[in-house]
Every structure is written in structure tokens, then in C-alpha cells.
């Protein structure tokens, strides 16, 4: 059945696997996607949404690099919101509510239209290795499929165990079996593994809810989109979400089941996501709070199924039902299915290189929850990078990596391989020290040239980015060179309670005031005429406004990034013996020997390596 040797085999068809398969195939590698159920490619296992705080930036970066998550999200969106608009632009984060079934269908369609990509439905149960290099996979049907590189994107399926109250059963998610064999093979090769936990809330019948008792959460009046390509369009109509709250009564009803909760009776031994806790964990940890938010999210355009965001739980189903009925608007609720927790195997990501290739086995790559992350967006970005680098490895090309000042994806991967994680890792804007540089609005200018050089971004995509960038420079130059007099600008300034000017000022100086916006300047005929002539859209004007208002911050971060890049270019030989450097602390010698950083800068980010240890290394390296 498989006479040829594939360039790349991708195991798993979730968000990481889909992006990995698309990237490798689009770069020209003969690729096979092996997954347990071809009907569930691109499945949204938990909430029906993409993006959010920092995650929205990641989706934009995936799109700028030639990935598909942004396109699929746009085509299946039912609502769009730009979060954190009240804060600075480094915090602005796009998010869409998605049609769950349409999202998976669009992913399937996109992959089936990808050249060089084959599909096979089966469970990969073993891996093949020869002379320390991966050689392929074995399936549950006993088939051997050979490949030059393998990307593992196993999600929550490796030895997955589902918990609902005191009930336990094997599974990768509701209704699907767990995967066995891969963990045991990797451990036999010397990999260390661990267990993590995640959870999901009940799904309910929207016809049984009383939305009049909830607060409506509509989308943006002028919705944007994720993809920079013209092949997708902003939403013309949207579906609203709703918000309600738990109460002391709800909390009391939930506590009645704590003695049967796998979280509290010792059945679940692994650590769950800190920033997406179960409802029982929330009322236990935050006992002083008498209510918590519940977001009521529709699962699509045409379905009545509703996702109860904020009510993730593994309590017995009758406890879940009784407590949820006490939530305002849920008095007559009907369940589609209860919430549950799931434990699964992961492999500490300090065992990986920056390319996401394993240090122990050449040609073997890990991406997604196998690396200890949580979230579709984090998984998809790793899948994209692993797929790219699997192709690069097969064709003896240099690894493609992103630094911390180039992308949130760079921050994510560097955090994982340098610091590791003992709990499900989630991206936040606070994790990025250069977040003013890594905004959601400029992902294309940051990354599309890199993707084009790789061969992943088309000439058309590059031309589109360059055209938008040129328009932004034109508008920016206009604001820097053009002056505006008191008679023209003071009426606008007075409307905005801003101090009037007494003499002509450059437009950029006026726009740099905190309460003055580009929309204010668009009221001036000479500005609106110039913008129209330049054919600049809202995204271009947004970029110009950000560059003017935050010029000082942007320049400061660039300077800091340039200084750090000098350390990034100070390599450390892979064979360097830290134990010979007695001036290093014992902890530093231990951590450095384990992680084997490739540069002084990476060494400086390892937990337990102090500034004095870095000084010793700099001296030792002949600095």
C-alpha cells in the first residue's frame, strides 16, 4: 500500500497536525497525514473559538507565515472581536467565535486541495529508528510506513484517560479511543515523559436557555478578520454570545460533589491549566468570591448546541446538571453531554531543539500538547514550525527558527525548550518582552518576507504586504512633513478636551497626543483626500497611528532587541562540558548540561542560571 518512502509523516490531524502537514506539503515534501479518524481533522475539541489574548497575535503570525489557521478561522467565523481595545496596541488581540462543524470542514477542504499531501486513517502505535534517525511508523493494522522525518502531534490521545466523577475510561476525547504504544517506545529510547490534565465543560441545548436573563455579548460593530489575504472577507452579520454568573447556591451545589471529584479524591494526579481552571477548582481556590463569569457561546450558525465557557468540570454528571440548573438563565437546561477531565502523556520540551526536532532522534519532531502546551493557537504555531523544519531536515536545509523579538511563536518555542513546563503552557502578552514590536497589526511585515524566502508565502502575498507597507510609509511621511494650523485643528482639539495650539504643528505631533485619533484627522478634508488618493484602508491607518503614538516605545524595544541579538550570535558548542567550569554554580552546571543552549542569550534565559553564571561563561568563551 505504501511502496514509496515519504519525506514527512505527520501523526495526528488536530490543529498542530493540520498545519504541519500543510506546511511540509506546500514546501514540496511528499507528506502523509496519519490520523485515527479522517472525519475529525481540525476538530475543535474544546471551545468553538480562535484567537484571544496573545493567541490572536499567534494566529496572525501563522497567517503571515503561510499557514491556514487564519484563513480557516475567517471562513468559519460567526463573530469577531478585537479584545483589549481600551489598552495600548501591544495588547490588542483579535478573536473569533467559530462554527465548529464549518471550521473542521474548511480545514479538511484546505488540506485536500494541497498538493503533495496524502491521507491515511489508522492509529500509529510504534516508531521506527535506525542509527539514531527516525525511519517511519507502524500502525495498529500492522502496516509499516517509511519516512525521512516524522512529526508527532498526538494532542491528548497518548494514553488518554477521561474522568467524569468516579468513572474513568480510556479516550483521547469524548467518543474517541486513546492511543497506545508511542509513549512506551519513546521512553525506551531514553525520552522522559509526564502526565498533564485538561478539561472541558458541558454542552447544552440552546433552546432550553432563557437569554433574557443574561447579558448579551455582541461582536464588533466593524469586524475585522485574521488573514491578510484578500481571499477572505470580514463578517457581514454576526451571532451574539451571552454572559451570566454562578452564585453562592451554585457553589454550594457543586461542593456537594467534591467527595466524588477526581480532582480532590486523588484520582487525577497530574496538573491542569493554571489559567483555565475547572469550576470546582475556581470555587475552591477563590472561596472569597461569590460568583464567577459564565460565557454562553453558540457552536455555529445553524446548530442549537451551546458551549458553557467557564464551567469546565469533571464532577459527576448529576452534580453538574443540578448546579448548572441553578445558574441564571439555565433553569430549564437540557444537556447534550457532560463536562469531563482528561489526563494524557506529554514529553518535557527541554528535550527539543529550537526547530522542534528532538535532541535524541534525528528527523523526529514534536508539536502541540505533546510539548506541554494548551490551546489551539499554540498547537497550530508549533505544527507550522515543525512541518517547516521537517521539510528543511529532509532536504538538508538550515532549520527555520524565530527569535523572541521576531514573533510570539519565537517566544513560545524559546520558553518551552529553554524553561520547560510542568503545567499546561498558555501564551500571554506578558510573556513577550518585546510585545510593542510583536503587535497583531504588523505580523505580515515581520514575517511574510521570511515565509517568502522559505517558499511558503506566494509572490502575490509578498506583493500585497509590500503594497500595504508602502501605503503606510506614504501616510506616515505625509503626517511627518505636513503642518496643521490653529484655525484648522483647534476645533477638533477643543471637542476632545485637548489643549489648543497657538502655532502650526506637524500633524504627527498632534496625533501623538493620547486622546487624539486618526479618525479625528480624517475629519480634515486635506487628510481624507490624501488617504483616498493613497488608497489606504483602515488597517494601514491603524498601523500609522500606532507608529506615531508609540514611536518612543518601539524604538526603545528595538534597541534592547539589538543588544540582546549580540548575545544570540555568541554560540556555545553543542559538546561544551559545563562541569569543567568550576566557577559556575552547581545548579547552572546541571541545567546547562541538560538543556545544552545554543547561544549565550538562550543560556541567560534558563531558570536557575544567574547573571554571574553568564559572566563566567562570557569570560570562558573569550569575550
Amino acid at each position: 500500500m505504501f511502496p514509496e518512502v515519504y519525506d514527512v509523516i505527520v501523526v495526528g490531524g488536530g490543529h498542530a497536525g493540520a498545519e504541519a502537514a500543510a506546511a511540509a506539503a506546500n514546501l514540496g515534501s511528499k507528506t502523509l497525514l496519519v490520523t485515527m479518524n479522517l472525519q475529525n481533522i481540525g476538530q475543535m475539541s474544546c471551545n468553538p473559538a480562535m484567537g484571544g489574548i496573545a493567541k490572536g497575535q499567534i494566529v496572525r503570525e501563522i497567517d503571515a507565515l503561510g499557514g491556514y489557521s487564519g484563513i480557516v478561522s475567517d471562513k468559519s467565523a460567526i463573530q469577531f472581536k478585537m479584545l483589549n481595545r481600551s489598552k495600548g496596541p501591544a495588547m490588542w488581540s483579535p478573536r473569533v467565535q467559530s462554527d465548529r462543524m464549518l471550521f473542521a470542514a474548511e480545514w479538511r477542504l484546505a488540506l485536500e486541495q494541497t498538493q503533495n499531501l496524502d491521507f491515511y486513517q489508522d492509529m500509529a502505535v510504534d516508531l521506527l529508528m535506525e542509527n539514531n534517525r527516525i525511519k517511519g511508523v507502524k500502525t495498529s493494522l500492522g502496516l509499516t510506513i517509511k519516512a525521512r522525518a516524522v512529526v508527532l502531534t498526538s494532542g491528548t490521545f497518548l494514553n488518554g484517560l477521561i474522568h467524569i466523577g468516579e468513572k474513568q475510561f480510556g479516550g483521547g476525547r469524548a467518543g474517541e479511543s486513546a492511543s497506545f504504544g508511542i509513549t512506551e517506545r519513546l521512553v525506551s529510547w531514553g525520552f522522559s515523559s509526564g502526565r498533564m490534565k485538561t478539561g472541558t465543560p458541558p454542552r447544552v441545548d440552546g433552546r432550553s436557555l432563557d437569554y433574557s436573563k443574561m447579558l448579551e455579548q455582541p461582536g464588533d460593530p466593524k469586524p475585522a478578520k485574521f488573514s491578510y489575504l484578500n481571499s477572505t472577507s470580514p463578517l457581514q452579520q454576526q451571532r451574539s454570545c451571552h454572559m451570566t454568573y454562578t452564585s453562592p447556591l451554585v457553589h454550594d451545589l457543586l461542593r456537594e460533589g467534591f467527595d466524588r471529584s477526581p480532582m480532590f479524591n486523588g484520582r487525577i494526579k497530574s496538573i491542569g491549566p493554571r489559567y483555565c481552571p475547572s469550576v470546582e477548582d475556581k470555587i475552591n481556590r477563590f472561596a472569597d468570591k461569590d460568583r464567577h463569569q459564565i460565557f454562553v457561546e453558540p457552536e455555529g450558525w445553524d446548530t442549537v448546541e451551546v458551549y458553557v465557557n467557564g464551567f469546565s468540570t469533571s464532577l459527576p454528571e448529576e452534580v453538574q446538571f443540578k448546579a448548572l440548573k441553578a445558574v441564571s438563565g439555565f433553569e430549564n437546561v437540557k444537556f447534550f453531554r457532560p463536562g469531563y477531565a482528561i489526563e494524557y502523556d506529554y514529553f518535557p520540551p527541554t528535550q527539543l531543539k529550537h526547530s522542534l526536532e528532538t535532541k535524541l532522534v534525528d528527523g523526529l519532531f514534536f508539536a502541540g500538547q505533546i510539548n506541554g502546551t494548551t490551546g489551539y493557537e499554540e498547537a497550530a504555531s508549533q505544527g507550522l514550525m515543525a512541518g517547516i523544519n521537517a521539510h528543511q531536515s529532509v532536504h538538508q536545509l538550515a532549520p527555520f527558527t524565530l527569535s523572541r523579538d521576531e514573533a510570539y511563536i519565537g517566544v513560545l518555542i524559546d520558553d518551552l525548550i529553554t524553561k520547560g513546563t510542568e503545567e499546561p503552557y498558555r501564551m500571554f502578552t506578558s510573556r513577550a518582552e518585546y510585545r510593542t514590536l510583536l503587535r497583531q497589526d504588523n505580523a505580515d511585515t515581520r514575517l511574510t518576507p521570511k515565509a517568502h524566502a522559505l517558499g511558503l508565502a506566494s509572490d502575490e502575498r509578498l506583493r500585497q504586504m509590500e503594497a500595504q507597507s508602502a501605503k503606510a510609509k506614504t501616510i506616515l511621511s505625509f503626517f511627518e512633513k505636513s503642518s496643521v494650523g490653529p484655525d484648522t485643528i483647534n476645533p477638533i482639539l477643543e471637542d476632545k478636551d485637548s489643549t489648543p495650539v497657538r502655532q502650526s504643528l506637524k500633524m504627527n505631533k498632534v496625533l501623538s497626543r493620547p486622546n487624539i485619533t486618526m479618525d479625528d484627522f480624517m475629519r480634515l478634508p486635506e487628510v481624507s483626500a490624501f488617504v483616498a488618493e493613497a488608497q489606504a484602508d483602515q488597517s494601514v491607518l491603524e498601523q500609522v497611528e500606532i507608529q506615531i503614538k508609540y514611536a518612543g516605545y518601539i524604538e526603545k524595544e528595538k534597541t534592547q532587541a539589538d543588544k540582546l541579538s549580540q548575545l544570540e550570535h555568541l554560540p556555545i558548542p553543542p559538546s561544551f562540558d559545563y562541569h569543567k567550569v568550576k566557577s559556575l554554580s552547581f545548579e547552572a552546571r546541571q541545567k546547562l548540561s541538560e538543556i545544552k543552549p545554543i547561544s549565550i542569550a538562550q543560556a541567560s534565559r534558563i531558570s536557575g542560571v544567574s547573571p554571574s553564571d553568564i559572566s563566567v561563561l562570557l569570560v570562558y568563551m573569550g569575550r
Side-chain angles (χ1 to χ4, degrees):
M1 290 176 65
F2 302 101
E4 62 182 314
V5 176
Y6 281 95
D7 290 323
V8 178
I9 290 176
V10 177
V11 177
H15 297 261
E19 287 287 6
N26 282 326
L27 284 170
S29 283
K30 187 62 180 173
T31 305
L32 176 69
L33 177 60
V34 180
T35 186
M36 292 164 63
N37 189 343
L38 287 172
Q39 306 308 313
N40 291 336
I41 286 176
Q43 180 77 12
M44 291 179 137
S45 304
C46 199
N47 63 318
M50 285 291 282
I53 307 302
K55 295 166 175 279
Q57 283 88 327
I58 289 176
V59 176
R60 281 259 163 96
E61 290 177 353
I62 292 170
D63 184 73
L65 286 167
Y68 288 171
S69 288
I71 297 168
V72 171
S73 296
D74 287 344
K75 289 183 175 181
S76 58
I78 63 174
Q79 186 194 85
F80 181 94
K81 268 191 174 183
M82 185 67 76
L83 306 182
N84 278 343
R85 274 285 192 183
S86 61
K87 301 181 180 179
M91 308 293 282
W92 297 353
S93 302
R95 182 184 189 269
V96 297
Q97 201 69 33
S98 301
D99 183 311
R100 185 190 299 276
M101 290 184 285
L102 184 56
F103 185 92
E106 288 290 350
W107 250 122
R108 173 78 178 254
L109 184 62
L111 290 174
E112 287 186 355
Q113 293 175 341
T114 301
Q115 291 186 347
N116 301 314
L117 181 56
D118 292 343
F119 303 85
Y120 189 64
Q121 179 171 296
D122 201 350
M123 182 192 298
V125 296
D126 203 356
L127 301 169
L128 307 173
M129 180 179 69
E130 188 179 300
N131 297 325
N132 232 46
R133 183 163 189 94
I134 201 74
K135 288 297 179 181
V137 303
K138 283 187 177 180
T139 75
S140 61
L141 293 177
L143 297 173
T144 295
I145 314 174
K146 294 185 178 179
R148 297 179 177 89
V150 172
V151 182
L152 287 184
T153 68
S154 48
T156 59
F157 282 79
L158 292 182
N159 294 322
L161 184 63
I162 291 175
H163 299 263
I164 302 177
E166 295 174 299
K167 301 165 187 170
Q168 289 182 345
F169 47 93
R173 61 180 161 228
E176 296 181 62
S177 63
S179 171
F180 305 101
I182 298 289
T183 295
E184 293 72 18
R185 172 58 67 197
L186 290 172
V187 169
S188 76
W189 288 349
F191 286 90
S192 61
S193 69
R195 295 283 277 175
M196 279 190 177
K197 170 236 157 191
T198 190
T200 194
R203 312 304 202 273
V204 303
D205 189 332
R207 297 170 298 184
S208 66
L209 305 182
D210 185 351
Y211 292 103
S212 68
K213 295 182 177 180
M214 306 178 197
L215 183 65
E216 186 178 7
Q217 303 270 291
D220 287 350
K222 294 181 180 179
K225 63 192 187 83
F226 272 122
S227 181
Y228 292 97
L229 290 174
N230 295 325
S231 57
T232 64
S233 304
L235 287 168
Q236 297 301 308
Q237 59 179 5
Q238 303 184 68
R239 283 202 67 177
S240 289
C241 298
H242 289 78
M243 185 173 71
T244 184
Y245 294 90
T246 61
S247 65
L249 172 60
V250 175
H251 298 177
D252 289 342
L253 291 171
L254 288 167
R255 288 190 186 98
E256 288 180 8
F258 275 16
D259 61 325
R260 292 183 289 156
S261 166
M263 275 195 59
F264 299 131
N265 63 18
R267 286 178 179 268
I268 291 178
K269 299 179 174 61
S270 48
I271 300 173
R274 178 187 300 266
Y275 302 103
C276 189
S278 64
V279 67
E280 57 264 40
D281 194 20
K282 280 191 284 193
I283 66 174
N284 185 54
R285 283 197 327 203
F286 308 108
D288 57 317
K289 292 188 179 292
D290 59 8
R291 69 176 192 172
H292 294 283
Q293 292 177 328
I294 300 291
F295 293 97
V296 183
E297 301 180 345
E299 294 262 354
W301 287 115
D302 303 315
T303 180
V304 297
E305 188 172 359
V306 166
Y307 179 88
V308 190
N309 195 340
F311 208 84
S312 176
T313 180
S314 57
L315 286 165
E317 59 269 39
E318 67 273 17
V319 176
Q320 297 181 30
F321 181 64
K322 188 177 178 182
L324 198 54
K325 281 177 71 72
V327 173
S328 181
F330 281 75
E331 292 83 359
N332 298 307
V333 67
K334 294 180 180 179
F335 269 35
F336 273 17
R337 55 187 167 108
Y340 62 87
I342 181 168
E343 289 185 287
Y344 56 93
D345 292 340
Y346 86 106
F347 289 80
T350 51
Q351 300 171 98
L352 303 176
K353 304 173 186 176
H354 265 99
S355 62
L356 298 181
E357 185 178 27
T358 65
K359 294 174 181 176
L360 287 177
V361 179
D362 295 337
L364 178 61
F365 296 78
F366 293 172
Q369 284 173 288
I370 191 173
N371 290 335
T373 59
T374 180
Y376 308 144
E377 305 81 1
E378 289 89 341
S381 66
Q382 293 171 71
L384 176 70
M385 297 298 285
I388 291 171
N389 282 311
H391 166 84
Q392 298 292 94
S393 169
V394 166
H395 296 279
Q396 287 84 52
L397 299 171
F400 176 73
T401 60
L402 295 167
S403 62
R404 297 180 71 91
D405 64 323
E406 289 177 319
Y408 271 91
I409 297 173
V411 175
L412 166 67
I413 293 174
D414 186 68
D415 275 357
L416 290 174
I417 69 165
T418 302
K419 300 173 183 175
T421 186
E422 294 179 351
E423 61 185 45
Y425 178 102
R426 178 180 177 180
M427 178 53 73
F428 288 102
T429 50
S430 58
R431 294 192 190 273
E433 58 269 49
Y434 304 116
R435 53 187 173 272
T436 309
L437 298 179
L438 309 181
R439 305 184 309 275
Q440 54 83 30
D441 63 278
N442 69 353
D444 59 338
T445 55
R446 287 186 278 120
L447 299 175
T448 296
K450 295 178 182 293
H452 184 262
L454 269 177
L456 203 53
S458 65
D459 292 343
E460 177 197 353
R461 182 185 278 267
L462 182 66
R463 280 195 298 269
Q464 185 176 318
M465 182 280 296
E466 289 174 338
Q468 290 290 89
S469 184
K471 290 175 185 178
K473 287 178 182 176
T474 299
I475 305 295
L476 182 60
S477 177
F478 173 74
F479 270 77
E480 289 173 342
K481 293 176 180 177
S482 303
S483 297
V484 61
D487 293 343
T488 303
I489 199 65
N490 279 345
I492 292 174
L493 296 179
E494 288 164 2
D495 281 352
K496 301 298 286 281
D497 293 325
S498 188
T499 306
V501 299
R502 296 180 179 178
Q503 59 188 26
S504 293
L505 284 179
K506 297 295 184 188
M507 287 185 181
N508 65 316
K509 295 294 184 185
V510 181
L511 183 54
S512 65
R513 294 188 180 194
N515 54 342
I516 303 301
T517 68
M518 182 63 79
D519 287 343
D520 296 322
F521 269 92
M522 289 297 287
R523 291 160 57 184
L524 303 179
E526 63 268 37
V527 175
S528 58
F530 188 87
V531 168
E533 187 179 349
Q535 298 181 321
D537 59 20
Q538 189 59 40
S539 65
V540 169
L541 298 181
E542 184 179 277
Q543 275 214 20
V544 171
E545 183 173 352
I546 291 168
Q547 288 181 47
I548 289 174
K549 283 187 178 295
Y550 296 88
Y553 296 99
I554 292 169
E555 194 56 43
K556 183 179 178 182
E557 284 195 3
K558 281 182 179 175
T559 302
Q560 290 174 339
D562 289 342
K563 286 180 179 177
L564 186 67
S565 70
Q566 295 172 12
L567 294 182
E568 293 285 5
H569 295 301
L570 285 174
I572 302 175
S575 58
F576 187 81
D577 187 355
Y578 296 97
H579 293 289
K580 289 183 179 178
V581 188
K582 302 302 180 186
S583 304
L584 291 172
S585 68
F586 178 78
E587 184 179 6
R589 275 179 272 164
Q590 193 177 36
K591 295 280 183 71
L592 290 164
S593 298
E594 176 188 343
I595 294 172
K596 298 187 186 304
I598 61 172
S599 69
I600 293 290
Q602 187 191 351
S604 71
R605 294 189 290 269
I606 297 172
S607 176
V609 177
S610 69
S612 61
D613 291 321
I614 296 301
S615 297
V616 169
L617 280 179
L618 285 170
V619 171
Y620 201 88
M621 295 290 172
R623 178 73 186 273

